[in-house]
Amino acid sequence: MENVTIKDVAKYAQVSIATVSRVLNDNYPVSKETKEKVLKAMNELNFKPNSIARSLKSNITHLIGVVLPDISNSFFMEIIKGIDSVVSKEEYSLILSYTDENFERELNVLKRLSQKRVDAIILASSNTDNKYVDDLIKENIPVVLIDRKIKNSNVDVIASDDFGSAYTLTKYLIEMGHKDICIVNGNLNVSTGIERYEGFKAAMMDHNIEIKDDFILNGYYSWEKAYEEVKKLIVDKKIVPSAIFAANNRMAEGTMLVLKENHLKIPDDVSLVTFEEIENQKLIEPKLTCIKQNALLMGKKAGQMILERIKDKEANPKEIVVVSDLVINGSVKKIN
Amino acid sequence: MENVTIKDVAKYAQVSIATVSRVLNDNYPVSKETKEKVLKAMNELNFKPNSIARSLKSNITHLIGVVLPDISNSFFMEIIKGIDSVVSKEEYSLILSYTDENFERELNVLKRLSQKRVDAIILASSNTDNKYVDDLIKENIPVVLIDRKIKNSNVDVIASDDFGSAYTLTKYLIEMGHKDICIVNGNLNVSTGIERYEGFKAAMMDHNIEIKDDFILNGYYSWEKAYEEVKKLIVDKKIVPSAIFAANNRMAEGTMLVLKENHLKIPDDVSLVTFEEIENQKLIEPKLTCIKQNALLMGKKAGQMILERIKDKEANPKEIVVVSDLVINGSVKKIN
DNA sequence: GTGAAAGCGCTAACAT
DNA sequence: ATGTTAGCGCTTTCAC
C-alpha cells in the first residue's frame, strides 16, 4: 500500500502508464470504459500522484516562498492570510520564512527557496540594496515585493504610500499644535523606514519646525529597541517631548510601556501616534491615532500579482499602492 | 545562464556527470584536480543543484508541513518560531497552512501536503477524530501533534497539561471565594477545548460548586464568538457572573471588550482569568491572571521530535508535556 | 483510443 | 579515480 505509482495502477488496470497519466490529467481522449477501469484501480490502490515527479517534468512546484521580517507582527500575518486566500485556490502552498530584519539571514533563505525551485517569491526585504532579487529573476523565479521596495530592481511591488502617510500623520500632530516631536524610526535600511522618516522630515520642514537631534531615535522596528531608546530619552536624559511618532506598531507598544512605567499619561503628558495599529488596540486606553494600512488587501493583491506573474513572466512590472487611512483617536492633545 | 544542470557542468569541465555529482555531494573520492575543475565550472556557470530531481531520487524533500488553526494568534506564531529555530539548522523549510478551526479545510491541507511529499507534518488538529493522521503515517509521512491530541492515534505528541492547568486556574478562582463562575469554552471538538472544560468541571465538582447552565458559553476559540456569547449573557440576559474563565487568549480579549463596553471593571465588578496570555498584556489594565504556556519551547520540542522521527520512523511514539505556569496578576477579586 | 519510449536532473551501483 | 548506465515517477511525442 505504500507509495503506489502510476505503474502499479497501470498494471492493476491492465493498461499502459500513458493511459493512466491521461486519466490523471484528463487532457487527452480516453474511452469511458478504460477511464473507469483506471479510476477504479486508482481508488482501490489508494494512488496519489507524486508531485515531485510532476515538478521535475513540468518545472512547476506549486510552491510560493514568502519571506517576511517578523511573523509575530499581526501586520505581516494579515498579509500572509491575504496571500493564502488567493493562491490556495490555485493549489499553491506557501513556504514561510522570516528574517528578523537580518539581511544575511534573508539571503540564506532566498537561496534555499531558489534551490527548492519555488514558482515565485513574495518578499519584504530588510535591505533596500538587495541585489539578489535580480539573480532570482534571471533564474526565472519571479519576485513580488510587498510592503518594502528595493533599489534598481525592475520587479512588481505592492506597497503603501509610506512617505505620504507619514507626512499626513506628522502634519496632523503639527496642526494639533505640536512642535517638540520625537520620531522613533524603524529600520533605516528598509524603504518603509526611510520613507516614513522622509515623510516626517518633509512635514516638519514644510512647517518650519526644527527637528532636534535628541528627538531622532532609532528603534529598528523592534519593540525592545524602541523601549530602550525612549527610556533613554525620557528617564536618562529627562526630556519629555510633546509628541512621539512611532514608525510602526511594535515600537509604539514599546514606547507606551515606557510612558506607562513613568506615569506619563497619553495624551495629557505626551501625545503618541503610530504607523500601523497596535495589537488589542480596542482594549487599550487611549486608542492611538494612527495610520492604518490594509494588510489583508495588500496580501490579496500580492497573491493576485504573483499568480499573474507566474503565468506571464514577460509583462511589465507593476507597482500597486494600497491606500492607508489616517485614523484619529484620542492619543493626541490639542495645544493652543 | 538559465537552468544549468549537472550535464552542462560536466561538459564544461570535461568530466562525466557522475564525477560532478560526486563533487556536489562530496561522498566519493575525487582527485583534487578534477574537483577543482568541477568546482570552477559550477561557479562559472552559476550552477545550482535542482532539489526536485534530488528529491525524486532520494524521497527527501526537506519540507515540513505545519498545520495550525490560527496564525494570527501569537501562541501559534511562537510555536512556529520554535519549530523553525530547530529545523532550519538542518536545512528544512516550513510549509505553513492554517485551518481556521475548520476540519474540512484541515483535511484538504493535509492531503495537499501529502501529495507534496513533505518529509513530515506538525499538526494542531481541529478535531479529535482526525483519522487521516493514520493514513499519513501509513504513507510514511510522520506526524507530530502539537498542542492538540487526537483519539486513537499512536503518534508523537507535544502538549500542555490542559486538564491540570484548567483545574489549577479554576481552583484559584474558587479559593478566592468565587462560586458564580462562567466558563467561555473553546472548540469542544478539540482536545484542549475538552480538557480545559473537564479541568474546570472537576475543580468545581471537587469543591461542590454547581455549574449553572447559563454560565457555560461556547466561544469556539474565536474572538467574535466569545464577544457575542458574553454579551448575550451580560447584556441580554443581564446576568453578571462573579468570575469568568476564558479558555484561551482570543476569547479573553473578546470578553474584555464586552466588559469594557458595559463599564464593568475587572476585578471589581467581574473577575477574569484566561488560558494563555493576551496580546499586549503589559499595556492593559489590569493584567490578567492566567495560565502561561511556553509556546516557544513547545515549538522547539516539536522541531526536535520531528527531526528524530524523520531519522527513525520505527521508534515508539513519545508524548511530551510542557509545563505551564499559573501567573497571578490583579484580575481576580478576593471575596470574603 | 491506446501503447511504447524518451527524457526531466539527479544518484548510485557497476564497470573499468 | 572516473565513466557508463539504470532508474526515481511522471508527461508527452510519436506510432499504430
Side-chain angles (χ1 to χ4, degrees), chain B residues 140-186:
Chain B
N140 220 12
I141 301 182
V143 175
V144 166
L145 300 178
I146 191 152
D147 185 48
R148 302 167 167 206
K149 302 170 200 162
I150 62 179
K151 282 184 201 155
N152 305 327
S153 267
N154 201 23
V155 287
D156 295 305
V157 179
I158 171 113
S160 304
D161 176 14
D162 289 282
F163 178 91
S165 293
Y167 189 98
T168 305
L169 193 54
T170 311
K171 190 159 158 261
Y172 174 75
L173 283 176
I174 296 170
E175 286 171 349
M176 291 292 277
H178 294 272
K179 286 194 162 64
D180 281 348
I181 306 176
C182 164
I183 182 163
V184 186
N185 270 317

Side-chain angles (χ1 to χ4, degrees), chain B residues 292-307:
Chain B
K292 184 155 172 41
Q293 304 177 85
N294 196 335
L296 190 69
L297 184 62
M298 288 175 75
K300 283 184 182 170
K301 295 262 182 202
Q304 287 157 6
M305 234 172 179
I306 210 80
L307 291 179

Side-chain angles (χ1 to χ4, degrees), chain B residues 37 54 84 106 126 161 174 189 286 318 324 327 334:
Chain B
K37 219 166 40 175
R54 283 181 149 175
D84 187 88
E106 178 175 323
S126 27
D161 176 14
I174 296 170
N189 291 317
K318 280 193 283 188
S324 310
V327 178
K334 171 107 187 150

Side-chain angles (χ1 to χ4, degrees), chain A residues 261-272:
Chain A
E261 286 175 350
N262 291 280
H263 311 290
L264 291 166
K265 291 276 172 245
I266 305 171
D268 302 327
D269 303 317
V270 186
S271 294
L272 176 63

Side-chain angles (χ1 to χ4, degrees), chain A residues 79-96:
Chain A
I79 284 182
I80 294 183
K81 284 191 175 178
I83 297 170
D84 187 88
S85 71
V86 172
V87 302
S88 73
K89 280 181 197 143
E90 310 229 349
E91 296 289 316
Y92 278 90
S93 300
L94 301 182
I95 297 188
L96 175 66

